[in-house]
Amino acid sequence: MKTVAMILAAGVAAAAMPAQAETKLNVYYAWPEHEVVHKPIADRFMADHPEIKISFRAAAPSYDEAVQTLIRQSMAGELPDVHYVGFNVLRPLVTRGLVKPIDDLVAADHLADKGYTEQILSLARIEGHLYGLPFAMSTPVVYYNADLVKQAGGDPDKVPTDWDSFVALAGKVGALGNGTSGMYYQLGSDDWATQNLVRNFGGQMMNDKESDIAFDGPAGQAAVKLFKRFHTDGAQPAIDSHAARQLFTSGKLGFFFASAGSVSGFEGEIGDRFKLRTAKQPLGAEDATMPTGGMVAIILTDDPAKRAAAWDYVKFTTSPEGQSIVVPNTGYMPTNTLALDKDHLAGFYDKHPNWYTSVLQTPRARPWFSWPGDNGVQIGEVLRDEMTAIALGSKEPEAALADMVSEVRALLPKTN
């Protein structure tokens, strides 16, 4: 009886204690295929933080569409608590006041001691304020069919590092016959690839004061002319990226330029059909840089309890543990330097050298330029469409560049 009484007493005492409140975080991200990283990260986080519940909204099909959805949700007061926004579209959300700086949260943490370098944090910094923690990053990588390179007389271990030699080798691959093409420089759905070519020649998209465009100078001129040469001399077919990807994975394309985040998909699709290798991009100038693709984890809630929980969550997603889930499932570069140590990704990279190429390009990685004003998405479409006209042969590089200049200037905010 004494034992029963003690049990009952313990039960009454437990019932009298207030239950710990559960904090629920609503999370939104782009690209449905990224569920393979978001779900396991959330599961592991919730195992360590049972007081926090992570739930996901249906993923957006792209960064641009995610931003449009967020703008609509803000008008209805239905914003998520955490969002993974593309680097290039963070600025429009900040301009609209939807994202607040996290400087106060950062002040209480020593991020530099936790693997966050200033170079990487700069990807999420606007006008001196930090608006989130970079979650995934990538640079453009050269994927290539080592078998075709060898057949064309090239050295699969030494892909050319200058554009003239590279384009010449691609042309030789394209001349092998049997339906083989030389290369494919993927434009994508925005201006990332165009920015990459301008930066490859040491240029930038606008001047330092952002009072006017700068991509119409020598670097931009060299960029559009090189893109034309990809087609005339490098045997790049005038097809869309989906068809080009199929051509490459079937073994009929020598070189394919794409995000480092494509490596996992390529390896899975190609299997042992041919020897897949990766290489750093050729450079057009010593001061070449690269726009960094990927996304930053931002906090949208103003609720103090949710904001504190969200800060713990985004720190975990960008920690060595979180990045050790992101990298092997995608091919993105880790945004936390501690993730490269022997306890996390060092062994993985030893076994998967194709995945490490993008990491080697980190010193040249810079923020993906985000256009001022409300027309950033349209500007990206203008640049993509004009580059497509060059690919199709409907415009010469000089004419396409001139049209880019006039159309982009018309879309930029008016200055006094």
Side-chain angles (χ1 to χ4, degrees):
M1 293 296 295
K2 183 177 181 181
T3 302
V4 173
M6 291 174 63
I7 293 173
L8 290 174
V12 171
M17 294 176 62
Q20 187 174 17
E22 182 181 71
T23 301
K24 296 181 179 180
L25 294 179
N26 207 284
V27 179
Y28 184 47
Y29 61 89
W31 313 111
E33 60 269 28
H34 285 175
E35 182 184 7
V36 296
V37 295
H38 289 293
K39 188 178 185 304
I41 288 176
D43 289 343
R44 188 173 300 181
F45 176 79
M46 288 188 288
D48 295 336
H49 299 79
E51 76 283 5
I52 301 175
K53 172 69 174 177
I54 306 295
S55 62
F56 293 105
R57 294 185 179 180
S62 70
Y63 292 137
D64 292 342
E65 292 191 48
V67 167
Q68 297 304 317
T69 297
L70 288 175
I71 291 173
R72 291 193 299 270
Q73 290 174 343
S74 69
M75 297 176 181
E78 298 174 347
L79 282 172
D81 302 307
V82 174
H83 175 55
Y84 295 86
V85 64
F87 288 128
N88 65 315
V89 285
L90 171 61
R91 187 171 182 171
L93 296 180
V94 171
T95 301
R96 289 176 176 269
L98 301 186
V99 191
K100 304 294 192 301
I102 59 170
D103 299 333
D104 58 322
L105 298 172
V106 172
D109 271 288
H110 299 286
L111 294 184
D113 298 331
K114 298 177 180 178
Y116 301 89
T117 66
E118 180 52 40
Q119 181 188 4
I120 290 177
L121 290 178
S122 71
L123 302 175
R125 199 183 297 282
I126 297 176
E127 296 181 356
H129 296 288
L130 191 66
Y131 285 90
L133 295 181
F135 170 73
M137 58 186 285
S138 68
T139 56
V141 168
V142 183
Y143 297 87
Y144 64 98
N145 183 323
D147 300 344
L148 291 180
V149 168
K150 188 174 182 178
Q151 291 176 37
D155 184 348
D157 295 325
K158 295 181 181 179
V159 170
T161 57
D162 67 280
W163 284 114
D164 287 343
S165 300
F166 181 90
V167 172
L169 178 56
K172 292 177 181 179
V173 173
L176 290 173
N178 195 29
T180 300
S181 294
M183 63 174 291
Y184 193 83
Y185 185 86
Q186 182 176 229
L187 288 177
S189 61
D190 43 47
D191 64 351
W192 188 53
T194 303
Q195 285 198 26
N196 179 58
L197 285 182
V198 173
R199 289 172 175 269
N200 191 274
F201 287 94
Q204 57 191 50
M205 306 311 289
M206 295 192 74
N207 61 28
D208 292 338
K209 295 182 179 180
E210 294 189 358
S211 59
D212 195 11
I213 61 169
F215 65 83
D216 58 340
Q221 294 166 19
V224 294
K225 290 177 181 177
L226 176 63
F227 187 64
K228 175 72 172 181
R229 287 185 59 206
F230 290 165
H231 299 78
T232 57
D233 303 337
Q236 173 162 334
I239 56 179
D240 64 34
S241 59
H242 179 70
R245 187 182 181 103
Q246 289 183 322
L247 196 65
F248 182 62
T249 56
S250 69
K252 295 295 184 180
L253 180 68
F255 300 94
F256 194 103
F257 286 75
S259 163
S262 298
V263 65
S264 176
F266 273 139
E267 287 191 347
E269 292 172 47
I270 293 168
D272 58 1
R273 189 173 296 121
F274 60 84
K275 181 65 175 177
L276 174 68
R277 300 280 294 276
T278 62
K280 295 188 292 183
Q281 280 195 119
L283 300 177
E286 285 297 322
D287 59 347
T289 59
M290 299 176 178
T292 307
M295 66 203 84
V296 53
I298 59 174
I299 299 172
L300 299 175
T301 180
D302 291 324
D303 178 89
K306 285 192 172 187
R307 197 162 182 265
W311 178 235
D312 286 338
Y313 181 58
V314 299
K315 282 192 298 182
F316 179 78
T317 67
T318 57
S319 70
E321 291 74 20
Q323 293 297 290
S324 294
I325 295 174
V326 173
V327 172
N329 284 289
T330 59
Y332 281 114
M333 303 152 60
T335 59
N336 190 302
T337 58
L338 296 182
L340 293 170
D341 65 24
K342 62 181 180 62
D343 294 325
H344 297 97
L345 292 171
F348 174 82
Y349 281 127
D350 287 341
K351 297 177 182 177
H352 299 84
N354 279 344
W355 302 57
Y356 195 65
T357 299
S358 192
V359 177
L360 297 175
Q361 296 184 146
T362 302
R364 296 187 183 275
R366 298 292 184 274
W368 182 351
F369 181 73
S370 183
W371 299 94
D374 296 329
N375 298 320
V377 173
Q378 291 174 262
I379 290 174
E381 292 173 348
V382 165
L383 297 180
R384 179 203 62 203
D385 291 346
E386 293 299 332
M387 293 291 278
T388 299
I390 296 174
L392 296 174
S394 59
K395 284 187 182 180
E396 289 302 311
E398 296 81 358
L401 183 61
D403 287 343
M404 289 183 204
V405 170
S406 60
E407 292 182 60
V408 171
R409 279 193 174 129
L411 291 169
L412 287 170
K414 305 304 178 189
T415 56
N416 295 326

